[in-house]
Amino acid sequence: MVNLREKPFYLNDEQIQWVEETIASMTEDEKVGQLFVQMRKSLDEEVIKDTLDRYHQGGLRWQGGDRNGVYNQNKTYQAHSRIPLLIAANCDNGGDGCLSDGTFVATAVEAAAGEGTKTAYDIGYVAGREASSVGVNWMFNPCADIFMNWRNTIVNTRSFGDNADRVIENIRAFIDGIHQSNVACCCKHFPGDGVEERDQHLVLGVNDLSVEEWDASFRKVYQTMIDEGLESIMVGHIALPEMSRKLRPNIADEDIMPATLAPELLTDLLRGEMGFNGVVITDASHMAGIACMEKREIAVPKAIASGCDMFLFTNDAEEDFGYMKAGIQNGTISEERLSDALHRILGLKARLGLYKKENVTPDAALKETIVGCEEHKKLAEEAAERCITLVKDTKHYLPISPKEKKRARLVFIQSTPTSKGYKGDPVKQVVIEELERAGFSVDVAPNFHDLEVSEGVNPMNMFKMMECGSMKDFASKYDVVFLVLNIKGYAQENNVRLRWSCNHSSELPWYVTEVPTVGISLNYTNHLIDVPQVHTFVHAYGSTRTSIRTAIAKICGESEFKGTASDTVFCGKWDTRL
């Protein structure tokens, strides 16, 4: 039996009574539904009502929208759900994670670059306030992964560093910030990402640390948070083979499963040895790290039987609901296991006060005073000022005054477009405007994708991109080159690297030998592996106007760089330090 009076629930008699009475009143279908967190995109009230009537979901995670759209959707879901929903959001960087008009404060890696933990606290504080103002009560954050492998780009910006103690300090501050609002937290992705370079969206993740190495790193992080009252943990589709072999000495390699399907990691280790009493939820169930390991009809109930309490998303709602129900009826999920899961799910809802109607949906006016407010924008400015990092300046080009070096060449490299609807990266225009605002005269290098849009699909565009021209002419024309990298990627390739807009492109940094060149990353921290010859490099950590403006001001010497880069930025190569 789950003790709801203990950490992390701390329920009183009234709350426990609501949990017990609610579970007792549930039909079998309602019990099945409580195990699911569904993603829905429809704002149609009849569709929402029909969904709830059929599947009785315990939680909701939506996809995108502004403050009004998200608020109305969440309010509608709660209004038509007999049992109040846990409504979750991913807010890695602030309120922008759940709202298109929310506030970006900083990434986790940016917070780790700054002195102390103020930035991590501010990220959580803003995320909690903005998300809760639209009805969110559960944060799928913070990320508790440790960035041990510089090639890992799924974790790169979301990790608070490569050191367990530094990660713990920042997670603690982030959670403290979140808890200024009535929102529960969820550390992810147990048993820990950041060791290898692959992405469990695409393949089974493997944390191949030894038991001793894992105990000294990831276990230390999770155990600290568990001891301090963490409400929930998201389990990654990540295997921990050495621990599985220790706990199951005769396990065959082909039987080593991701943690989501591994009872030795969830029931024996996380629940047993580590004493976690809170809610355990799977990572998204459409990811290949789970989808390729077992047949769907086996994996759905097996995740709950192995020790998860909630199952994140469905491929086909009716089918997955049926698989889960069959798993309960055939004994794959025992009565005790189902009871424990339901008590934890309802226990978390009770802890959040959702058993009282006045706590379920906030007043509609609240979001108008909170989302994107001046206080939050100020915190974002302070984070940029505190954390933006000068990684290296080995040729001593900085500071660069636009009064002395006014003529600037901008080489803007972005992620490869994935849609025929591509009309250009809007961040490029922000960079141009901010360089001009600082006093530079900006000439923009061509980009193959933009040529294809502006001049039509034409084989000659490739040849235009390959033309570098006279080196002497280039050196006489420009005083400085800004190589700005806005590279992002997600669930499409295992690691994301810098990619020029075409082969043999004139964008390539041949110009570093001709004109002082400053590299600026607006996202990833591992770009020096691809441009080691750029002698001055800055991590701005964000593609917002605030981040870009602050980075340029620091390059111009208007304020000092205060951030500190982890050694991982040099990617284990000697030439990246030159």
Side-chain angles (χ1 to χ4, degrees):
M1 288 291 294
V2 178
N3 189 337
L4 295 177
R5 297 186 188 277
E6 292 184 350
K7 173 172 56 184
F9 302 105
Y10 303 111
L11 300 191
N12 58 34
D13 289 344
E14 179 186 12
Q15 293 167 321
I16 291 174
Q17 181 179 358
W18 176 81
V19 171
E20 297 295 353
E21 290 178 351
T22 302
I23 293 175
S25 72
M26 288 182 188
T27 65
E28 182 180 42
D29 280 0
E30 286 178 322
K31 291 179 179 179
V32 173
Q34 283 297 301
L35 304 178
F36 286 97
V37 175
Q38 301 263 26
M39 178 184 285
R40 294 295 172 198
K41 299 178 181 179
S42 175
L43 298 178
D44 184 273
E45 185 169 2
E46 288 304 314
V47 173
I48 291 173
K49 185 177 184 300
D50 179 66
T51 297
L52 291 167
D53 288 345
R54 294 173 66 187
Y55 302 119
H56 316 284
Q57 65 197 67
L60 170 70
R61 236 281 277 144
W62 74 93
Q63 191 69 22
D66 62 16
R67 71 186 81 177
N68 293 318
V70 172
Y71 176 86
N72 291 333
Q73 175 189 256
N74 293 346
K75 180 180 179 180
T76 304
Y77 264 93
Q78 295 288 27
H80 291 289
S81 181
R82 186 177 82 83
I83 301 167
L85 294 162
L86 292 170
I87 299 183
N90 278 345
C91 289
D92 293 323
N93 312 319
D96 67 317
C98 66
L99 301 169
S100 60
D101 48 354
T103 306
F104 172 96
V105 178
T107 60
V109 70
E110 180 176 356
E115 184 177 357
T117 58
K118 179 63 164 57
T119 303
Y121 174 88
D122 289 346
I123 299 170
Y125 174 75
V126 172
R129 279 169 51 84
E130 296 195 354
S132 64
S133 77
V134 295
V136 170
N137 49 48
W138 192 12
M139 200 66 68
F140 283 167
N141 297 99
C143 179
D145 296 321
I146 305 174
F147 187 56
M148 295 182 174
N149 187 335
W150 64 264
R151 292 180 176 86
N152 189 312
T153 46
I154 196 65
V155 164
N156 183 289
T157 62
R158 298 195 295 167
S159 169
F160 285 109
D162 58 353
N163 174 277
D165 291 330
R166 183 71 172 140
V167 170
I168 288 170
E169 292 170 359
N170 279 284
I171 286 176
R172 182 183 290 126
F174 183 100
I175 291 175
D176 190 19
I178 289 285
H179 282 166
Q180 302 310 302
S181 303
N182 187 36
V183 179
C185 287
C186 182
C187 279
K188 61 186 181 184
H189 308 81
F190 183 87
D193 203 348
V195 176
E196 68 160 353
E197 65 187 80
R198 295 180 297 180
D199 175 2
Q200 65 267 22
H201 290 85
L202 308 176
V203 66
L204 171 67
V206 179
N207 183 322
D208 59 4
L209 295 180
S210 68
V211 171
E212 295 74 21
E213 290 170 329
W214 187 84
D215 283 346
S217 54
F218 290 96
R219 181 172 189 156
K220 184 177 184 180
V221 172
Y222 278 97
Q223 191 67 66
T224 300
M225 295 305 110
I226 290 168
D227 293 345
E228 294 182 5
L230 176 67
E231 300 99 331
S232 63
I233 288 175
M234 178 177 285
V235 180
H237 308 307
I238 301 170
L240 188 61
E242 293 307 309
M243 184 65 76
S244 288
R245 292 183 180 114
K246 176 188 175 183
L247 297 172
R248 299 285 189 275
N250 297 318
I251 194 170
D253 285 354
E254 60 266 28
D255 294 327
I256 292 175
M257 290 282 142
T260 34
L261 302 176
E264 73 275 11
L265 300 182
L266 298 182
T267 302
D268 298 0
L269 176 62
L270 184 59
R271 295 292 192 199
E273 291 185 21
M274 299 177 71
F276 183 58
N277 188 41
V279 172
V280 173
I281 182 171
T282 72
D283 203 343
S285 62
H286 58 264
M287 293 163 63
I290 186 174
C292 297
M293 300 305 295
E294 293 275 21
K295 287 187 175 181
R296 189 80 179 178
E297 63 183 320
I298 295 174
V300 172
K302 185 176 180 179
I304 304 300
S306 297
C308 295
D309 300 306
M310 301 192 82
F311 193 83
L312 184 57
F313 305 150
T314 56
N315 280 356
D316 178 276
E318 184 174 357
E319 184 177 67
D320 284 355
F321 187 93
Y323 289 154
M324 191 72 80
K325 186 173 182 178
I328 293 171
Q329 293 174 339
N330 66 27
T332 298
I333 301 171
S334 68
E335 291 184 11
E336 180 182 7
R337 179 78 274 278
L338 176 61
S339 175
D340 284 355
L342 292 173
H343 277 82
R344 289 193 175 99
I345 295 165
L346 274 292
L348 183 56
K349 293 179 180 184
R351 173 179 168 157
L352 292 166
L354 300 181
Y355 64 101
K356 295 182 178 180
K357 288 186 177 180
E358 61 266 27
N359 296 330
V360 173
T361 302
D363 186 278
L366 189 63
K367 65 184 184 302
E368 303 304 329
T369 61
I370 289 179
V371 177
C373 68
E374 289 304 313
E375 177 192 359
H376 294 177
K377 291 177 181 177
K378 181 66 175 176
L379 293 177
E381 292 171 0
E382 292 174 0
E385 177 59 33
R386 185 186 301 122
C387 302
I388 287 176
T389 302
L390 176 61
V391 176
K392 66 175 182 177
D393 183 29
T394 57
K395 296 293 186 181
H396 308 293
Y397 291 144
L398 301 188
I400 293 176
S401 169
K403 294 180 181 179
E404 299 172 0
K405 297 184 181 296
K406 186 178 183 65
R407 302 171 302 167
R409 174 78 158 179
L410 171 62
V411 181
F412 185 89
I413 307 299
Q414 64 208 52
S415 304
T416 302
T418 57
S419 170
K420 290 183 177 180
Y422 169 78
K423 298 297 182 183
D425 186 338
V427 175
K428 180 193 287 188
Q429 185 58 37
V430 176
V431 174
I432 294 169
E433 291 170 2
E434 291 303 318
L435 285 171
E436 290 176 342
R437 179 181 182 274
F440 293 100
S441 175
V442 183
D443 179 50
V444 184
N447 172 282
F448 176 74
H449 308 299
D450 291 342
L451 288 177
E452 293 278 283
V453 170
S454 63
E455 300 186 17
V457 177
N458 189 327
M460 291 306 297
N461 289 334
M462 180 78 72
F463 292 101
K464 290 179 182 179
M465 288 301 303
M466 294 170 63
E467 295 174 356
C468 293
S470 162
M471 299 297 104
K472 288 185 178 180
D473 288 348
F474 189 94
S476 66
K477 188 175 181 181
Y478 302 112
D479 302 314
V480 60
V481 176
F482 291 101
L483 172 62
V484 179
L485 309 175
N486 188 35
I487 309 295
K488 297 182 180 181
Y490 182 75
Q492 190 174 11
E493 53 192 318
N494 275 305
N495 50 74
V496 182
R497 297 279 289 272
L498 191 159
R499 187 177 186 181
W500 310 101
S501 67
C502 70
N503 55 301
H504 298 293
S505 172
S506 59
E507 299 160 322
L508 288 163
W510 54 266
Y511 38 79
V512 299
T513 59
E514 308 295 331
V515 176
T517 300
V518 179
I520 306 173
S521 172
L522 303 183
N523 192 47
Y524 292 127
T525 64
N526 63 348
H527 286 314
L528 281 177
I529 189 66
D530 293 317
V531 286
Q533 63 272 63
V534 177
H535 302 293
T536 301
F537 207 86
V538 172
H539 284 165
Y541 301 111
S543 56
T544 65
R545 188 177 294 275
T546 294
S547 299
I548 293 166
R549 178 176 296 181
T550 304
I552 293 171
K554 290 178 179 294
I555 289 167
C556 294
E558 294 178 17
S559 67
E560 64 178 315
F561 288 95
K562 298 175 182 176
T564 303
S566 161
D567 202 55
T568 56
V569 304
F570 297 109
C571 308
K573 302 294 184 180
W574 61 270
D575 58 329
T576 57
R577 299 176 183 272
L578 299 178

